[in-house]
């Protein structure tokens, strides 16, 4: 719904510039809640105790990589190489400085998608802690934790500044949505559960 409010035209979006940070914040928050609940359900299915489950879901700001690690911890299903190798997800590629062409899509491998998700988590940290506003070109601080910076997924501007556009926010929501489904589907299949129903979950197509 937030996406549909944006004018989607070149140039300064005005007050609609507040939509991109809002999309990032809501998408990442929804992913975090899903990860905690899904990991708890899988652990319960594997007959883990309430204490074990509480320890498993005691995590701060889980990313795609953390979700994968938690599922591997519970299920001991290996590294998932067999399905990660052919995996691909499309995102918007930010234009380089001075590039006047319209934004284009690029395909990410599973490893790249995990790295981009880490970058978007850094964007979320900066917005949440008031270190960046998200609706203009500005300097984004380095990673608050980990090694991936917020600027790695943002559009580069002059003078060391970066901007968060609605296209970037769409990429963020799409990465987390697609990776969440893939990991959840693989986990459900591994424990012999029927195919999960995603019909009521927005797919955030680009």
């Amino acid at each position: 719904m937030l996406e549909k409010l944006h004018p989607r035209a070149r140039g300064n979006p005005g007050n609609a510039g507040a939509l991109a940070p809002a999309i990032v914040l809501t998408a990442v928050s929804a992913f975090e809640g899903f990860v905690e609940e899904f990991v708890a359900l899988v652990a319960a299915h594997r007959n883990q105790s309430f204490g074990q489950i509480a320890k498993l879901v005691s995590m701060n700001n889980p990313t795609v990589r953390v979700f994968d690690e938690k599922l591997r911890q519970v299920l001991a299903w290996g590294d998932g190489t067999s399905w990660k190798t052919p995996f691909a997800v499309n995102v918007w590629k930010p234009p380089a400085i001075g590039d006047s062409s319209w934004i284009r899509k690029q395909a990410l491998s599973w490893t790249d998608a995990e790295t981009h998700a880490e970058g978007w988590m850094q964007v979320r940290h900066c917005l949440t802690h008031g270190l960046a506003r998200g609706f203009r070109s500005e300097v984004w601080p380095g990673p608050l934790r980990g090694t991936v910076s917020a600027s790695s997924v943002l559009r580069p501007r002059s003078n060391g500044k970066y901007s968060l556009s609605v296209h970037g926010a769409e990429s963020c929501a799409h990465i987390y949505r697609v990776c969440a489904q893939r990991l959840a589907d693989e986990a459900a299949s591994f424990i012999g559960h029927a195919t999960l129903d995603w019909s009521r979950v927005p797919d955030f197509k680009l």
Side-chain angles (χ1 to χ4, degrees):
M1 294 172 68
L2 289 171
E3 285 182 289
K4 293 177 181 178
L5 295 175
H6 200 281
R8 307 196 68 82
R10 296 194 187 200
N12 191 331
N15 289 337
L19 294 171
I23 292 170
V24 171
L25 290 170
T26 53
V28 175
S29 295
F31 174 82
E32 291 176 341
F34 173 77
V35 169
E36 292 172 359
E37 184 172 354
F38 191 83
V39 169
L41 289 170
V42 171
H45 189 278
R46 304 298 274 186
N47 299 315
Q48 296 209 14
S49 68
F50 286 122
Q52 290 173 310
I53 294 173
K55 186 176 181 179
L56 274 170
V57 299
S58 179
M59 47 186 157
N60 294 320
N61 312 125
T63 58
V64 171
R65 183 172 290 122
V66 171
F67 188 21
D68 189 6
E69 291 171 353
K70 290 290 183 177
L71 290 175
R72 282 191 277 127
Q73 182 180 344
V74 176
L75 300 174
W77 64 358
D79 63 5
T81 302
S82 61
W83 61 265
K84 289 179 181 176
T85 301
F87 175 90
V89 58
N90 286 326
V91 297
W92 295 115
K93 182 179 181 179
I97 296 176
D99 185 353
S100 60
S101 61
W102 192 237
I103 196 166
R104 297 179 293 272
K105 292 181 182 179
Q106 65 174 333
L108 302 179
S109 66
W110 180 264
T111 300
D112 289 339
E114 283 189 326
T115 301
H116 274 238
E118 297 284 336
W120 284 114
M121 183 59 75
Q122 291 298 323
V123 172
R124 189 254 196 185
H125 287 332
C126 292
L127 294 172
T128 301
H129 295 289
L131 303 177
R133 298 182 183 185
F135 56 83
R136 65 179 185 181
S137 297
E138 55 194 327
V139 175
W140 291 72
L144 303 184
R145 62 181 68 173
T147 58
V148 182
S149 65
S151 60
S152 67
V153 292
L154 300 173
R155 180 171 184 172
R157 300 292 189 176
S158 59
N159 302 317
K161 296 182 179 181
Y162 293 83
S163 63
L164 168 60
S165 68
V166 69
H167 293 93
E170 289 173 341
S171 293
C172 171
H174 190 60
I175 287 173
Y176 275 104
R177 163 65 171 82
V178 171
C179 292
Q181 178 174 349
R182 190 56 187 268
L183 281 168
D185 282 343
E186 292 294 334
S189 175
F190 186 83
I191 61 179
H193 197 282
T195 303
L196 302 178
D197 181 9
W198 295 88
S199 61
R200 297 177 63 186
V201 183
D203 54 18
F204 301 109
K205 284 186 177 180
L206 302 184

